[in-house]
Amino acid sequence: MTSSYASDVVIDLSGDWTLSSEKDEHTTTMKIPGDVHTALHRAQIIPDPYFGRNETDVQWVARQDWIIERRFHVDHADGDWYLDIDYLDTVAVVFVNDAPVLSADNCFRRYRPDVSSALVPGENVIRIHFHSSIRAGAERQAAQPFYVPYSTDNSPIPHGNMLRKPQCHFGWDWNIALAPLGLYGTIALRRLDTARIEHVLTTQHHGEDGVELHVEVTLHAKSPASVPIHLSLGDERLRLDCGVTSGETVLRHVFFIENPKLWWPAGSGEQALYTLTVEVPDEIVTRQIGLRRVELLTDRDAAGSRFAFRINGREIFCRGANWIPADALHSLSDRERTEDLLVSAVDANMNMIRVWGGGFYEPDWFYDLCDRMGLMVWQDFMFACNLYPCTDDFLDNVEHEVTYQVKRLASHPSIVLWCGDNELVGALNWFPESRDNRDRYLVAYDRLNRTIETGLKKAAPSALWWPSSPASGYLDYGDAWHADGSGDMHYWSVWHENKSFDKYRAVKPRFCSEFGFQSYTSMPVIKTYADEKEMNVSSPVIELHQKNAGGNERIAGTMFRYFRFPKDFSNFVYISQVQQALAIKTAVDYWRSLKPHCMGTLYWQLNDTWPVASWSSLDYGGSWKALHYAAKRFFQPVTVSAIPAEDGRTVRFSTVNDTAEEVEIDMNIFALATDGTRTPLKSANATCGPDAALIVTEIDLNQLAEGVLLSWDFIASNGMTGEGHHVVNAYKALELQPSGLEHAVHALGDGQFEVEIKASGLALFVMVEADVAGRYSDNLFDLAAGDARKILFSPKDRSAASRPNFKIFDLFSSQSEG
């Protein structure tokens, strides 16, 4: 929702404020919207928290109270004035001319306190006193009727579960622990002349003749009045004169759309959008409306119960990843950088993201972008991996949060599901307190979950609700991490239990909403936080930038399982990304081949909040890791993948078609020797119906000579193509011969570069890496003997005068000097 106001009724209070610590030890300027840590860093009061081991040196910031202040001018202080504030993080008191006008403790609510009595004509002073979240959390924990545990594995800063702020702010197994504070959204002074628009909510009723769009406008007034209100949808515009009472008044209207253009997820159709405008004197609210029907199918079947999304009458396989905040510090993110991350998701053939429950309900423009891109959004409520209070005051706060966020966001066509939390059911088994007294903590969880569900259904009765992720079903408190017959699943056995990649084929999820495997962030990113002397997997800096306990050991242990150990640190980083891509590809290829038993795979995770070893496919800053280039292939709507049989001696080639049209597949299969020569083995073709999966052909591996790989390529009748290889045993068993890679770089006139790569032998997992950020037209590919490929590199900064330095990696070169 976008709001605009007449200039004479609003005073924008964003911009430069004065920041000071509670005892005036430090004073500087702070940009609002913004956060305290970034302001202190820009003033050189603290070092860059992301560099080296500076995280440990800035912990004192979150342990103090901080005060921001600015002056503003009001010509005429008479009338009704209110402050408009959102994303206030978190426990804070707002003063106007030393009079307290707001006491806030929820980052996820919008506050609109009346400040009329505090204003004076002329100069006024506004001050916000931020209380330390660390101290506030401890105080609230002490006030609980019984101890409420939090995940110490994720949160080195304690008691974040006591506060309604992003839970990952207290640290996570991929996030820096800073407990930041600040104001990240709107802060403005507005005059209320007659009435303001509180909410605009829409619901849809689809019939054979068209769509009824039901519009519900909530107005807030100080006293009874008559308010002219204009509603517009497309070319239709009407005026209504609405009588309002003091407080809230709800106005309802129905638009009828004949021959509606429907909104579809990316890859399934167009993202048609209609513009809805609501106008009252001095204020205009604009929403973009997408007309679509969404259903969550959970009907029983032989395996358990389904979990599938039906959009506009068609079942859609969900391909995507989990979204976490764009940055650990708000001031370092913006719309442009966030949009780049979302564009990367769509460019990798994703059609869904899950906004994970330990971060933010994102701003309106985030969902506007998802609407326009066709990215379905699985929206968690912001509760993750902890237990939470169930006291009346906490639940009342949650109820206000849910009501505001649902009414703000529910009209977005991209939001297809609201989920109560992330892993709170499982968390009941993580702590000795809840294991010893499960009844107490289960009842506490149920009170919280019911509050969220009731709030959602009251605010948006037609919204789809799922109680938790993972969950096997409504009021099912079972183990959805390992039970794969019903609901959504989080499958973490390969990473956390250090199992082999083929264990992804040991489960058959109906919808896997979390699974992942770590890698290191790319070398150009590592160089932004580590000096050359730290380029060692066991160095203190590299270890500090690994937040998952035992993560570095699991990365290294997996290399010992599958690969010959790399020759140096940069190749260690490279192989870590290769094996991450292999892990997720193994899972997605198999689970997609189970369609329609499985109808969704959302890997953990899309993006990073800071430069760190993690499960992300995008580096901090937005560059693509090896996994993201692989995802573009394994998420392609039509693809072919190799699925080994349980006996290990047969490989079946499965094609998946996520389009609404029948496609014909033609493929060629080769024996690929380690010197890079290919010998044709078989050609096959098949016709795959719409939204289906089938086996094209199979190969008996006994016909392959020792140490020979399988390779294949295919073309579909809709123009989609692909290629791949399959190794019978581990890559470390291959006696690879020199790949003979050569490359040449050609500058193009528009600031881009063409990199031409040639191989005289077998080059597996070829990766091009530049010393500047940018995007490659292709990466992580194979070359056989005599093959060549031209790659287009688009630097993020095309104005740079110098030519990038390119480095080419491949499997042979990573383990030998060649």
PDB file of all heavy atoms in Angstrom, residues 569-590:
ATOM      1  N   PHE A 569      43.500 -22.433  -0.360  1.00  0.00           N
ATOM      2  CA  PHE A 569      42.281 -21.908   0.257  1.00  0.00           C
ATOM      3  C   PHE A 569      41.239 -21.500  -0.783  1.00  0.00           C
ATOM      4  O   PHE A 569      40.050 -21.791  -0.628  1.00  0.00           O
ATOM      5  CB  PHE A 569      42.629 -20.719   1.150  1.00  0.00           C
ATOM      6  CG  PHE A 569      41.433 -20.130   1.849  1.00  0.00           C
ATOM      7  CD1 PHE A 569      40.782 -20.821   2.858  1.00  0.00           C
ATOM      8  CD2 PHE A 569      40.963 -18.872   1.495  1.00  0.00           C
ATOM      9  CE1 PHE A 569      39.671 -20.286   3.501  1.00  0.00           C
ATOM     10  CE2 PHE A 569      39.860 -18.330   2.130  1.00  0.00           C
ATOM     11  CZ  PHE A 569      39.210 -19.033   3.138  1.00  0.00           C
ATOM     12  N   SER A 570      41.658 -20.837  -1.854  1.00  0.00           N
ATOM     13  CA  SER A 570      40.679 -20.400  -2.850  1.00  0.00           C
ATOM     14  C   SER A 570      39.993 -21.594  -3.492  1.00  0.00           C
ATOM     15  O   SER A 570      38.793 -21.547  -3.791  1.00  0.00           O
ATOM     16  CB  SER A 570      41.341 -19.518  -3.915  1.00  0.00           C
ATOM     17  OG  SER A 570      42.291 -20.241  -4.659  1.00  0.00           O
ATOM     18  N   ASN A 571      40.709 -22.686  -3.698  1.00  0.00           N
ATOM     19  CA  ASN A 571      40.084 -23.877  -4.250  1.00  0.00           C
ATOM     20  C   ASN A 571      39.242 -24.605  -3.208  1.00  0.00           C
ATOM     21  O   ASN A 571      38.272 -25.278  -3.553  1.00  0.00           O
ATOM     22  CB  ASN A 571      41.143 -24.809  -4.838  1.00  0.00           C
ATOM     23  CG  ASN A 571      41.576 -24.365  -6.233  1.00  0.00           C
ATOM     24  OD1 ASN A 571      40.867 -24.571  -7.212  1.00  0.00           O
ATOM     25  ND2 ASN A 571      42.740 -23.722  -6.303  1.00  0.00           N
ATOM     26  N   PHE A 572      39.603 -24.467  -1.941  1.00  0.00           N
ATOM     27  CA  PHE A 572      38.754 -24.987  -0.868  1.00  0.00           C
ATOM     28  C   PHE A 572      37.395 -24.287  -0.910  1.00  0.00           C
ATOM     29  O   PHE A 572      36.340 -24.923  -0.801  1.00  0.00           O
ATOM     30  CB  PHE A 572      39.440 -24.759   0.477  1.00  0.00           C
ATOM     31  CG  PHE A 572      38.776 -25.432   1.641  1.00  0.00           C
ATOM     32  CD1 PHE A 572      39.171 -26.689   2.051  1.00  0.00           C
ATOM     33  CD2 PHE A 572      37.752 -24.806   2.335  1.00  0.00           C
ATOM     34  CE1 PHE A 572      38.560 -27.318   3.134  1.00  0.00           C
ATOM     35  CE2 PHE A 572      37.127 -25.425   3.405  1.00  0.00           C
ATOM     36  CZ  PHE A 572      37.542 -26.686   3.809  1.00  0.00           C
ATOM     37  N   VAL A 573      37.412 -22.973  -1.088  1.00  0.00           N
ATOM     38  CA  VAL A 573      36.168 -22.209  -1.190  1.00  0.00           C
ATOM     39  C   VAL A 573      35.378 -22.662  -2.418  1.00  0.00           C
ATOM     40  O   VAL A 573      34.158 -22.865  -2.355  1.00  0.00           O
ATOM     41  CB  VAL A 573      36.473 -20.698  -1.242  1.00  0.00           C
ATOM     42  CG1 VAL A 573      35.232 -19.891  -1.593  1.00  0.00           C
ATOM     43  CG2 VAL A 573      37.066 -20.226   0.081  1.00  0.00           C
ATOM     44  N   TYR A 574      36.073 -22.825  -3.529  1.00  0.00           N
ATOM     45  CA  TYR A 574      35.434 -23.257  -4.776  1.00  0.00           C
ATOM     46  C   TYR A 574      34.773 -24.621  -4.610  1.00  0.00           C
ATOM     47  O   TYR A 574      33.596 -24.812  -4.956  1.00  0.00           O
ATOM     48  CB  TYR A 574      36.474 -23.271  -5.894  1.00  0.00           C
ATOM     49  CG  TYR A 574      36.174 -24.182  -7.057  1.00  0.00           C
ATOM     50  CD1 TYR A 574      35.153 -23.896  -7.959  1.00  0.00           C
ATOM     51  CD2 TYR A 574      36.941 -25.340  -7.263  1.00  0.00           C
ATOM     52  CE1 TYR A 574      34.892 -24.741  -9.041  1.00  0.00           C
ATOM     53  CE2 TYR A 574      36.684 -26.184  -8.330  1.00  0.00           C
ATOM     54  CZ  TYR A 574      35.659 -25.886  -9.221  1.00  0.00           C
ATOM     55  OH  TYR A 574      35.401 -26.721 -10.271  1.00  0.00           O
ATOM     56  N   ILE A 575      35.496 -25.604  -4.075  1.00  0.00           N
ATOM     57  CA  ILE A 575      34.935 -26.944  -3.912  1.00  0.00           C
ATOM     58  C   ILE A 575      33.761 -26.916  -2.932  1.00  0.00           C
ATOM     59  O   ILE A 575      32.776 -27.635  -3.085  1.00  0.00           O
ATOM     60  CB  ILE A 575      36.003 -27.948  -3.457  1.00  0.00           C
ATOM     61  CG1 ILE A 575      37.029 -28.167  -4.567  1.00  0.00           C
ATOM     62  CG2 ILE A 575      35.367 -29.286  -3.078  1.00  0.00           C
ATOM     63  CD1 ILE A 575      36.470 -28.816  -5.809  1.00  0.00           C
ATOM     64  N   SER A 576      33.837 -26.059  -1.907  1.00  0.00           N
ATOM     65  CA  SER A 576      32.709 -25.964  -0.967  1.00  0.00           C
ATOM     66  C   SER A 576      31.439 -25.540  -1.694  1.00  0.00           C
ATOM     67  O   SER A 576      30.342 -26.023  -1.386  1.00  0.00           O
ATOM     68  CB  SER A 576      33.037 -24.992   0.169  1.00  0.00           C
ATOM     69  OG  SER A 576      32.845 -23.630  -0.193  1.00  0.00           O
ATOM     70  N   GLN A 577      31.572 -24.642  -2.671  1.00  0.00           N
ATOM     71  CA  GLN A 577      30.395 -24.210  -3.418  1.00  0.00           C
ATOM     72  C   GLN A 577      29.923 -25.284  -4.397  1.00  0.00           C
ATOM     73  O   GLN A 577      28.718 -25.448  -4.615  1.00  0.00           O
ATOM     74  CB  GLN A 577      30.686 -22.901  -4.145  1.00  0.00           C
ATOM     75  CG  GLN A 577      30.866 -21.721  -3.205  1.00  0.00           C
ATOM     76  CD  GLN A 577      30.711 -20.387  -3.907  1.00  0.00           C
ATOM     77  OE1 GLN A 577      30.269 -20.307  -5.046  1.00  0.00           O
ATOM     78  NE2 GLN A 577      31.084 -19.316  -3.217  1.00  0.00           N
ATOM     79  N   VAL A 578      30.860 -26.014  -4.982  1.00  0.00           N
ATOM     80  CA  VAL A 578      30.479 -27.113  -5.881  1.00  0.00           C
ATOM     81  C   VAL A 578      29.671 -28.156  -5.119  1.00  0.00           C
ATOM     82  O   VAL A 578      28.612 -28.615  -5.578  1.00  0.00           O
ATOM     83  CB  VAL A 578      31.724 -27.748  -6.523  1.00  0.00           C
ATOM     84  CG1 VAL A 578      31.367 -29.057  -7.228  1.00  0.00           C
ATOM     85  CG2 VAL A 578      32.373 -26.777  -7.507  1.00  0.00           C
ATOM     86  N   GLN A 579      30.144 -28.547  -3.945  1.00  0.00           N
ATOM     87  CA  GLN A 579      29.445 -29.604  -3.222  1.00  0.00           C
ATOM     88  C   GLN A 579      28.116 -29.105  -2.668  1.00  0.00           C
ATOM     89  O   GLN A 579      27.155 -29.878  -2.541  1.00  0.00           O
ATOM     90  CB  GLN A 579      30.318 -30.205  -2.123  1.00  0.00           C
ATOM     91  CG  GLN A 579      30.664 -29.302  -0.981  1.00  0.00           C
ATOM     92  CD  GLN A 579      31.662 -29.965  -0.022  1.00  0.00           C
ATOM     93  OE1 GLN A 579      32.362 -30.923  -0.369  1.00  0.00           O
ATOM     94  NE2 GLN A 579      31.721 -29.453   1.203  1.00  0.00           N
ATOM     95  N   GLN A 580      28.016 -27.816  -2.344  1.00  0.00           N
ATOM     96  CA  GLN A 580      26.723 -27.264  -1.954  1.00  0.00           C
ATOM     97  C   GLN A 580      25.726 -27.393  -3.099  1.00  0.00           C
ATOM     98  O   GLN A 580      24.572 -27.816  -2.909  1.00  0.00           O
ATOM     99  CB  GLN A 580      26.858 -25.797  -1.547  1.00  0.00           C
ATOM    100  CG  GLN A 580      25.541 -25.151  -1.153  1.00  0.00           C
ATOM    101  CD  GLN A 580      25.608 -23.640  -1.028  1.00  0.00           C
ATOM    102  OE1 GLN A 580      26.361 -22.985  -1.758  1.00  0.00           O
ATOM    103  NE2 GLN A 580      24.854 -23.071  -0.100  1.00  0.00           N
ATOM    104  N   ALA A 581      26.161 -27.029  -4.309  1.00  0.00           N
ATOM    105  CA  ALA A 581      25.288 -27.138  -5.473  1.00  0.00           C
ATOM    106  C   ALA A 581      24.886 -28.590  -5.726  1.00  0.00           C
ATOM    107  O   ALA A 581      23.725 -28.887  -6.047  1.00  0.00           O
ATOM    108  CB  ALA A 581      25.987 -26.552  -6.704  1.00  0.00           C
ATOM    109  N   LEU A 582      25.833 -29.517  -5.570  1.00  0.00           N
ATOM    110  CA  LEU A 582      25.525 -30.931  -5.764  1.00  0.00           C
ATOM    111  C   LEU A 582      24.502 -31.426  -4.751  1.00  0.00           C
ATOM    112  O   LEU A 582      23.594 -32.196  -5.086  1.00  0.00           O
ATOM    113  CB  LEU A 582      26.804 -31.764  -5.644  1.00  0.00           C
ATOM    114  CG  LEU A 582      27.736 -31.792  -6.844  1.00  0.00           C
ATOM    115  CD1 LEU A 582      29.021 -32.520  -6.486  1.00  0.00           C
ATOM    116  CD2 LEU A 582      27.070 -32.455  -8.042  1.00  0.00           C
ATOM    117  N   ALA A 583      24.653 -31.003  -3.510  1.00  0.00           N
ATOM    118  CA  ALA A 583      23.740 -31.448  -2.465  1.00  0.00           C
ATOM    119  C   ALA A 583      22.308 -31.028  -2.773  1.00  0.00           C
ATOM    120  O   ALA A 583      21.384 -31.860  -2.771  1.00  0.00           O
ATOM    121  CB  ALA A 583      24.174 -30.882  -1.108  1.00  0.00           C
ATOM    122  N   ILE A 584      22.109 -29.738  -3.042  1.00  0.00           N
ATOM    123  CA  ILE A 584      20.750 -29.242  -3.263  1.00  0.00           C
ATOM    124  C   ILE A 584      20.187 -29.778  -4.578  1.00  0.00           C
ATOM    125  O   ILE A 584      18.995 -30.097  -4.667  1.00  0.00           O
ATOM    126  CB  ILE A 584      20.735 -27.700  -3.227  1.00  0.00           C
ATOM    127  CG1 ILE A 584      21.336 -27.202  -1.912  1.00  0.00           C
ATOM    128  CG2 ILE A 584      19.316 -27.176  -3.388  1.00  0.00           C
ATOM    129  CD1 ILE A 584      20.730 -27.801  -0.668  1.00  0.00           C
ATOM    130  N   LYS A 585      21.039 -29.925  -5.588  1.00  0.00           N
ATOM    131  CA  LYS A 585      20.586 -30.510  -6.861  1.00  0.00           C
ATOM    132  C   LYS A 585      20.118 -31.938  -6.650  1.00  0.00           C
ATOM    133  O   LYS A 585      19.092 -32.354  -7.226  1.00  0.00           O
ATOM    134  CB  LYS A 585      21.710 -30.463  -7.887  1.00  0.00           C
ATOM    135  CG  LYS A 585      21.323 -31.018  -9.263  1.00  0.00           C
ATOM    136  CD  LYS A 585      22.492 -30.950 -10.229  1.00  0.00           C
ATOM    137  CE  LYS A 585      22.081 -31.343 -11.643  1.00  0.00           C
ATOM    138  NZ  LYS A 585      21.534 -32.716 -11.728  1.00  0.00           N
ATOM    139  N   THR A 586      20.832 -32.712  -5.841  1.00  0.00           N
ATOM    140  CA  THR A 586      20.437 -34.090  -5.570  1.00  0.00           C
ATOM    141  C   THR A 586      19.029 -34.138  -4.996  1.00  0.00           C
ATOM    142  O   THR A 586      18.193 -34.948  -5.412  1.00  0.00           O
ATOM    143  CB  THR A 586      21.430 -34.748  -4.600  1.00  0.00           C
ATOM    144  OG1 THR A 586      22.736 -34.747  -5.179  1.00  0.00           O
ATOM    145  CG2 THR A 586      21.018 -36.178  -4.285  1.00  0.00           C
ATOM    146  N   ALA A 587      18.764 -33.257  -4.027  1.00  0.00           N
ATOM    147  CA  ALA A 587      17.443 -33.238  -3.399  1.00  0.00           C
ATOM    148  C   ALA A 587      16.365 -32.795  -4.376  1.00  0.00           C
ATOM    149  O   ALA A 587      15.330 -33.465  -4.534  1.00  0.00           O
ATOM    150  CB  ALA A 587      17.469 -32.311  -2.182  1.00  0.00           C
ATOM    151  N   VAL A 588      16.584 -31.673  -5.047  1.00  0.00           N
ATOM    152  CA  VAL A 588      15.548 -31.108  -5.917  1.00  0.00           C
ATOM    153  C   VAL A 588      15.252 -32.044  -7.084  1.00  0.00           C
ATOM    154  O   VAL A 588      14.087 -32.270  -7.435  1.00  0.00           O
ATOM    155  CB  VAL A 588      15.954 -29.708  -6.410  1.00  0.00           C
ATOM    156  CG1 VAL A 588      14.969 -29.197  -7.460  1.00  0.00           C
ATOM    157  CG2 VAL A 588      16.019 -28.728  -5.238  1.00  0.00           C
ATOM    158  N   ASP A 589      16.290 -32.589  -7.708  1.00  0.00           N
ATOM    159  CA  ASP A 589      16.070 -33.493  -8.837  1.00  0.00           C
ATOM    160  C   ASP A 589      15.168 -34.660  -8.428  1.00  0.00           C
ATOM    161  O   ASP A 589      14.217 -35.013  -9.148  1.00  0.00           O
ATOM    162  CB  ASP A 589      17.398 -34.038  -9.355  1.00  0.00           C
ATOM    163  CG  ASP A 589      18.156 -33.047 -10.214  1.00  0.00           C
ATOM    164  OD1 ASP A 589      17.590 -31.998 -10.564  1.00  0.00           O
ATOM    165  OD2 ASP A 589      19.322 -33.336 -10.545  1.00  0.00           O
ATOM    166  N   TYR A 590      15.461 -35.255  -7.284  1.00  0.00           N
ATOM    167  CA  TYR A 590      14.679 -36.420  -6.872  1.00  0.00           C
ATOM    168  C   TYR A 590      13.267 -36.016  -6.477  1.00  0.00           C
ATOM    169  O   TYR A 590      12.280 -36.633  -6.906  1.00  0.00           O
ATOM    170  CB  TYR A 590      15.373 -37.141  -5.716  1.00  0.00           C
ATOM    171  CG  TYR A 590      14.596 -38.344  -5.239  1.00  0.00           C
ATOM    172  CD1 TYR A 590      14.327 -39.407  -6.104  1.00  0.00           C
ATOM    173  CD2 TYR A 590      14.120 -38.413  -3.933  1.00  0.00           C
ATOM    174  CE1 TYR A 590      13.609 -40.511  -5.676  1.00  0.00           C
ATOM    175  CE2 TYR A 590      13.404 -39.520  -3.497  1.00  0.00           C
ATOM    176  CZ  TYR A 590      13.145 -40.565  -4.367  1.00  0.00           C
ATOM    177  OH  TYR A 590      12.419 -41.657  -3.946  1.00  0.00           O
TER     178      TYR A 590
END
